[in-house]
Amino acid sequence: MGEIGPRKLIIVSNRLPVSVSKKAGKLSFQRSVGGLATGLASFYRQYDSLWVGWPGVAEEKIKEDLQTVKRHLKKENCVPVFLPQSLVDQFYHGFCNKTVWPLFHYFPNYAVFSSALWNAYKKGNQLFADVLEDLLRPGDIVWVHDFHLMLLPALLRKRIPELAVGFFLHIPFPSSEIFRLMPWRDEVLKGILGADLVGFHTADYVGHFLSSVRRILGYEHSFNQILTERRMIQADVFPMGIDYEGFRKAIESPAVKEEIERIRQRVGSNRVIISVDRLDYTKGLLHRLEAFELFLDRYPEWRGKVTFILLVVPSRVGVEHYAQLKRDLDEMVGRINGKYDTIGWIPIWYLYRSVPREMLSALYAVGDVALITPLRDGMNLVAKEYVASKVDGNGVLILGELAGAAREMGEAIIVNPLDRGAVAKAIKTALEMSDEEKAVRMSAMQRRLERYDVVRWASDFVERLLDTKARQIAFSGKKLIGEEADKLIQDYSKARRRVLFLDYDGTLVGFRDKPEKAEPDPELYEILKSLIADEKNDVVIVSGRDPYTLQRWFGDLSVSMIAEHGVWIKETGGEWEMIELLDNEWKDKVRPILELYTDRTPGSFIEEKEFSLVWHYRRCDPMLATVRARELKDALLQLIANLEIGVLEGNKVIEVKNTSINKGRAILHWLARDDYDFILVAGDDWTDEDMFEVVPDWAYSVKVGFGISKARYRLDDPEEVRELLKRLGGTK
Ligand code: GDG
């Protein structure tokens, strides 16, 4: 496969757009005409594209034909991931369909939580990663689809860190209250966060995802950007579109016209209600039938004049809940038909099978009303296809409010699928709606579907992915590795007088739940000792912590220290001194407010330092803490208007302190005194920005972690800082 476009785009989904089957020793290949395949088709020209997925048949069944299958699929730009029968059962039918599907559709009592199935899910995702690893190059773009492959983005990221990886979830992402029930919730979220861009159908799903990430993994977000220790990840809404033109043109084709005629002969002059779904408990089939029954009950004038064509497509045959649903459905259709039918009229025309595309288009065309009332649905493309097919504008869509599509199809009659009375009433309203109103509603929805069709949806996603990749680089600054790090080492070796200003928390050590737990470890002492041993070096530990703690930790080393963000300084071998005299009376006014907020926010606490008060909220419920932190800040800002103090926000802390003090001012004490020809300053939060600001342009200023910064360089975490310091100290 040659390099046609600038980069390779690899689509990954559980199923390939081509299905393989073997009957009576004969292989056959069947192309799917699904929305995804259509939407992505245009990319095959723009990019050098490939599609990776399972061909739909267990490996054992085509054991002798693997090479033939591969060759055939290659012609279609497809690469198969062969799954053994055990994984088809435990990965696909198992964890995917029995655990994720019910849980994400708010059926937690249907969800099976089994570690055997979870292990199969991990194995399935690994198999995909293995196949992909052989195909991928660092500049490639990978777009992973749906709930079968939620671990894949992180697996790929680990193997090829530079990849651009997008992930799109086609089903709902549930509220964190539901999602958290999954025993492997951390792993699933971390798996998805391997992607650079995570897409969903609606803003609600994005919100649920972000709040799960925050509650479960503790990563904050703003403007849908999640900041992890290592990367910025964008989450966003991409409501999937359909092949709008395709559905419109289909209506004109002779084959569809023929089908329309056939249906018409059967239903005569009756008005037609249609619905099309896979057989699935999420689709609300039983509730819908009950509502139809109530409609016939309450509005007898419509009996004999309306036919409900219920197309149910077989799905996940063999899974217990589906078999039960099939029995219930058969029984209910029989009962309703038995209750109302007359000679010459059967209320429900029930079709349990998959139909050709022509028949589907014909159904859309004859449907005066489409009754689509899922209990949960990621999007629901049938609703969109119906609207697109109504070329004459003469149709009404009744849409359940729990389908993602309801978010963008406000001109439909939107109903609560569980409210039988409302659905029954909606059917009556739809049947009695004037032609003008129908046309107005239809054309508004059609304009949107035309503009944001499936091709636009797919190109929007890929463009956004590339844009996210570009923003990540801008966001994260230049990394102090490779040649840049070598240059630093050279400058360090050549220098006569050097100073190293090192922030403590988040720079030399990682964060802990309780500040007192983050104490220095033997490795850190070794690193510091090796740096101090060189007499050309001044090593200054700069911290927001109080002088007593720093003294306890580093008092025995000949390092200099800055405590409480610059209130106190201590020169090597000297005593603690205050940079300038500060008054502390303001504390009595501020303390009661902090106490009030501590009482109102479980998990928060106050730390009292000599010249500042700090409110910590790392261990609180993140949602409540954000609200409280904002309220507290407002309250404090009002109070301190006339005082010489400031309110500063750090990493899950709010600190109130004297404004004339900061870390930048404190390090000037050293910079003004000596003629250093090497300066390194490293820090992780906004209090360190004051230091980055006062050092000369040529100094090595390093921001640890993500975020906008004045520093010239960046390192990911304390481990990377330590690695660099080890090189400087000669211990590596
Ligand atoms: C998942 C999410 C989300 C149906 N019967 C026949 C047939 N179809 C086609 C329809 C439509 C597709 O299948 C069904 O798509 P839906 O969106 O309605 O539902 P799911 O299959 O559950 O899909 C869903 C979707 O992913 C996309 O992100 O919208 O929420 O659950 O295109 O036309 N096609 C043919 N014969 C049939 O009998 N030819």
Side-chain angles (χ1 to χ4, degrees):
M1 193 151 305
E3 285 282 325
I4 303 166
R7 315 175 74 160
K8 202 152 70 173
L9 173 70
I10 292 103
I11 314 291
V12 194
S13 61
N14 178 54
R15 291 294 292 268
L16 280 176
V18 179
S19 288
V20 178
S21 56
K22 193 170 180 183
K23 280 196 190 105
K26 208 172 160 320
L27 273 181
S28 70
F29 297 85
Q30 220 173 4
R31 278 187 130 203
S32 126
V33 286
L36 198 58
T38 317
L40 297 167
S42 72
F43 286 94
Y44 279 70
R45 290 185 289 277
Q46 272 184 44
Y47 297 87
D48 176 18
S49 302
L50 278 182
W51 196 315
V52 176
W54 176 50
V57 60
E59 195 174 4
E60 290 88 337
K61 294 207 178 121
I62 48 165
K63 230 180 16 228
E64 303 86 44
D65 316 297
L66 297 183
Q67 291 312 320
T68 321
V69 167
K70 268 192 189 172
R71 265 199 312 278
H72 184 99
L73 290 174
K74 196 172 176 193
K75 285 189 256 165
E76 311 264 354
N77 286 355
C78 289
V79 177
V81 178
F82 294 116
L83 298 177
Q85 187 65 48
S86 61
L87 281 189
V88 174
D89 293 340
Q90 296 213 301
F91 160 66
Y92 176 60
H93 292 303
F95 198 80
C96 294
N97 290 342
K98 290 186 187 155
T99 310
V100 185
W101 179 269
L103 188 69
F104 281 38
H105 286 87
Y106 294 76
F107 284 82
N109 46 338
Y110 282 18
V112 176
F113 297 121
S114 133
S115 33
L117 298 189
W118 165 247
N119 286 333
Y121 187 71
K122 286 201 284 192
K123 187 86 214 303
N125 277 255
Q126 291 279 2
L127 277 186
F128 273 77
D130 292 344
V131 171
L132 282 157
E133 194 176 2
D134 294 338
L135 295 171
L136 295 172
R137 300 288 164 270
D140 290 344
I141 308 167
V142 186
W143 187 2
V144 180
H145 288 266
D146 228 358
F147 64 100
H148 317 87
L149 300 172
M150 293 189 286
L151 305 179
L152 187 57
L155 292 174
L156 295 176
R157 174 76 50 211
K158 204 165 165 205
R159 298 182 191 199
I160 309 176
E162 306 83 351
L163 273 182
V165 183
F167 176 78
F168 188 85
L169 187 71
H170 288 263
I171 65 173
F173 194 95
S175 144
S176 61
E177 288 301 313
I178 292 285
F179 178 74
R180 69 197 291 182
L181 300 176
M182 180 179 289
W184 311 278
R185 60 204 183 176
D186 296 48
E187 287 99 317
V188 168
L189 287 181
K190 284 182 190 156
I192 296 176
L193 289 182
D196 300 296
L197 175 64
V198 184
F200 301 90
H201 284 306
T202 75
D204 288 345
Y205 307 156
V206 173
H208 293 155
F209 174 68
L210 292 174
S211 90
S212 290
V213 166
R214 187 184 199 195
R215 281 164 179 268
I216 294 166
L217 300 181
Y219 296 133
E220 289 298 332
H221 56 85
S222 74
F223 299 105
N224 292 352
Q225 292 178 347
I226 303 164
L227 290 186
T228 68
E229 297 88 359
R230 295 186 172 270
R231 291 162 41 252
M232 181 274 285
I233 295 136
Q234 179 80 48
D236 222 329
V237 185
F238 301 89
M240 187 172 171
I242 54 160
D243 175 17
Y244 184 77
E245 273 313 304
F247 276 94
R248 284 185 92 73
K249 281 198 196 124
I251 299 298
E252 301 303 320
S253 81
V256 172
K257 287 193 166 145
E258 219 171 274
E259 281 297 340
I260 295 175
E261 204 39 50
R262 211 170 297 165
I263 301 171
R264 272 271 153 241
Q265 273 172 13
R266 174 97 186 245
V267 295
S269 59
N270 270 10
R271 307 289 289 280
V272 176
I273 301 171
I274 60 138
S275 81
V276 177
D277 315 77
R278 280 186 305 100
L279 179 78
D280 201 297
Y281 48 83
T282 62
K283 301 287 182 183
L285 291 157
L286 298 176
H287 293 82
R288 191 180 310 165
L289 284 173
E290 279 176 351
F292 181 65
E293 181 181 12
L294 190 67
F295 162 77
L296 295 177
D297 212 38
R298 283 200 182 156
Y299 311 108
E301 66 274 22
W302 279 103
R303 290 185 205 160
K305 295 186 186 133
V306 58
T307 302
F308 185 2
I309 307 182
L310 180 74
L311 173 61
V312 178
V313 182
S315 175
R316 300 175 196 174
V317 180
V319 177
E320 188 211 328
H321 289 301
Y322 291 74
Q324 182 58 43
L325 175 61
K326 173 71 173 50
R327 287 192 290 273
D328 292 346
L329 190 64
D330 291 352
E331 198 265 333
M332 194 179 283
V333 171
R335 190 178 56 71
I336 299 172
N337 276 344
K339 184 168 164 191
Y340 294 103
D341 67 355
T342 56
I343 296 170
W345 179 60
I346 299 172
I348 305 164
W349 177 6
Y350 172 36
L351 299 163
Y352 176 65
R353 63 177 127 109
S354 176
V355 299
R357 173 81 184 261
E358 293 72 33
M359 168 76 169
L360 190 67
S361 278
L363 273 180
Y364 292 150
V366 298
D368 295 289
V369 176
L371 184 58
I372 300 173
T373 52
L375 300 179
R376 291 282 165 182
D377 214 336
M379 172 54 79
N380 194 297
L381 297 179
V382 170
K384 294 187 168 183
E385 293 166 0
Y386 171 73
V387 170
S389 306
K390 283 286 158 201
V391 180
D392 58 4
N394 194 6
V396 183
L397 172 65
I398 300 175
L399 183 57
E401 64 192 26
L402 299 170
R407 297 277 161 217
E408 36 168 334
M409 304 184 86
E411 294 81 4
I413 301 180
I414 305 287
V415 289
N416 172 354
L418 293 158
D419 184 344
R420 286 185 309 151
V423 178
K425 178 88 189 303
I427 298 174
K428 178 174 154 64
T429 309
L431 290 170
E432 291 169 3
M433 191 179 281
S434 73
D435 287 352
E436 295 75 45
E437 187 175 348
K438 285 186 213 169
V440 170
R441 287 174 182 244
M442 272 293 165
S443 73
M445 291 190 277
Q446 286 168 345
R447 277 199 301 275
R448 281 201 297 276
L449 291 180
E450 187 175 12
R451 268 203 308 273
Y452 205 80
D453 68 355
V454 66
V455 175
R456 174 79 191 282
W457 168 79
S459 53
D460 206 22
F461 185 91
V462 174
E463 272 168 32
R464 198 65 207 279
L465 172 57
L466 295 177
D467 174 60
T468 303
K469 211 66 201 158
R471 270 183 308 123
Q472 275 176 347
I473 295 164
F475 204 74
S476 51
K478 198 192 279 177
K479 234 186 134 184
L480 191 50
I481 48 169
E483 284 177 15
E484 306 287 346
D486 294 344
K487 171 87 171 50
L488 178 143
I489 304 286
Q490 275 174 22
D491 288 351
Y492 179 85
S493 319
K494 281 191 282 183
R496 288 170 294 104
R497 287 288 297 139
R498 316 174 187 124
V499 63
L500 286 75
F501 298 110
L502 305 171
D503 166 57
Y504 183 72
D505 290 280
T507 301
L508 292 177
V509 297
F511 283 104
R512 295 286 163 80
D513 282 356
K514 291 186 178 170
E516 60 271 22
K517 277 199 203 153
E519 38 180 50
D521 51 280
E523 185 193 61
L524 181 60
Y525 282 125
E526 281 313 307
I527 293 171
L528 292 173
K529 280 184 193 157
S530 69
L531 292 169
I532 296 160
D534 189 333
E535 57 186 25
K536 291 181 187 162
N537 290 347
D538 284 341
V539 179
V540 186
I541 293 177
V542 188
S543 176
R545 288 181 181 259
D546 63 68
Y548 308 103
T549 309
L550 293 187
Q551 183 64 27
R552 189 154 43 83
W553 286 346
F554 302 111
D556 293 341
L557 295 184
S558 52
V559 283
S560 300
M561 290 182 263
I562 296 175
E564 292 193 17
H565 298 117
V567 175
W568 298 96
I569 60 174
K570 180 179 181 287
E571 298 255 21
T572 316
E575 293 300 320
W576 283 100
E577 297 170 54
M578 210 188 294
I579 289 190
E580 59 186 72
L581 278 178
L582 297 172
D583 118 63
N584 248 349
E585 277 171 25
W586 59 268
K587 275 190 171 177
D588 296 337
K589 298 198 176 93
V590 169
R591 197 180 298 103
I593 301 189
L594 296 189
E595 279 164 357
L596 175 69
Y597 276 81
T598 305
D599 292 342
R600 291 173 62 198
T601 320
S604 68
F605 64 94
I606 301 168
E607 182 189 6
E608 178 145 4
K609 299 186 192 174
E610 190 127 10
F611 291 98
S612 72
L613 286 171
V614 192
W615 188 66
H616 289 259
Y617 58 91
R618 179 171 301 279
R619 283 182 294 153
C620 307
D621 174 274
M623 211 104 94
L624 177 67
T626 312
V627 176
R628 290 283 184 265
R630 205 179 309 137
E631 289 171 0
L632 173 60
K633 235 179 111 177
D634 282 351
L636 289 169
L637 286 173
Q638 282 179 27
L639 176 85
I640 62 163
N642 302 318
L643 302 171
E644 261 256 304
I645 55 172
V647 178
L648 307 169
E649 255 189 291
N651 198 324
K652 306 271 163 90
V653 294
I654 286 185
E655 176 149 14
V656 191
K657 69 183 202 41
N658 195 297
T659 38
S660 58
I661 292 297
N662 66 52
K663 288 181 179 176
R665 266 188 74 170
I667 69 168
L668 280 177
H669 178 79
W670 278 264
L671 295 176
R673 192 186 59 189
D674 219 327
D675 193 13
Y676 296 107
D677 55 355
F678 179 90
I679 300 173
L680 172 69
V681 47
D684 72 305
D685 73 11
W686 54 268
T687 64
D688 301 307
E689 294 295 314
D690 292 325
M691 296 199 282
F692 301 148
E693 207 165 1
V694 299
V695 292
D697 291 347
W698 52 263
Y700 284 94
S701 50
V702 186
K703 158 94 181 169
V704 183
F706 278 94
I708 307 288
S709 171
K710 297 191 191 91
R712 280 171 71 202
Y713 297 101
R714 185 179 68 77
L715 285 174
D716 282 344
D717 48 34
E719 280 80 60
E720 289 195 354
V721 175
R722 288 183 180 206
E723 287 308 303
L724 181 74
L725 296 179
K726 279 186 206 165
R727 283 182 74 185
L728 296 182
T731 54
K732 194 180 167 184

